[in-house]
Amino acid sequence: ERLAGTGLKPSERADEVAMQAELMSEKTAVEELIAKVEGSNEGTWVTVKEDTRKASDEMKGWWARFKDNIDKKTRSDKDMDGH
């Protein structure tokens, strides 16, 4: 939505495009994991479960860094985590 507007500075537009790309990458990763879980069977379940847990942990870390970056850019602490 913001990218459709004309009021963004070039640096802000670059940040928005980068964020959009990163979010799409995370979305794709989640969709792939869902497909693996849905297609798993008794023989593949342990591996699928481990892969899904690892990816979940990585995504939680990504969201934590994302929230911290937003806090820094906006000088606010919406999630009240102290930074």
Side-chain angles (χ1 to χ4, degrees):
E1 188 173 298
R2 286 190 65 187
L3 287 173
T6 58
L8 287 178
K9 296 176 186 174
S11 62
E12 292 172 327
R13 183 168 298 282
D15 287 346
E16 290 290 325
V17 168
M19 179 56 59
Q20 184 181 36
E22 205 158 345
L23 288 171
M24 292 304 293
S25 174
E26 294 297 316
K27 179 184 176 215
T28 300
V30 168
E31 289 170 347
E32 290 172 358
L33 288 170
I34 289 170
K36 285 182 181 179
V37 168
E38 290 176 342
S40 67
N41 58 43
E42 195 172 311
T44 62
W45 176 244
V46 172
T47 302
V48 169
K49 186 170 82 170
E50 289 171 358
D51 292 347
T52 303
R53 184 167 289 134
K54 179 182 174 190
S56 173
D57 291 344
E58 289 171 359
M59 286 179 202
K60 285 177 188 175
W62 181 86
W63 278 107
R65 289 187 304 277
F66 173 75
K67 290 189 303 184
D68 289 345
N69 286 337
I70 294 297
D71 287 352
K72 288 176 190 173
K73 286 183 179 184
T74 60
R75 296 189 178 132
S76 65
D77 187 16
K78 301 281 186 198
D79 58 356
M80 308 277 207
D81 65 354
H83 48 86

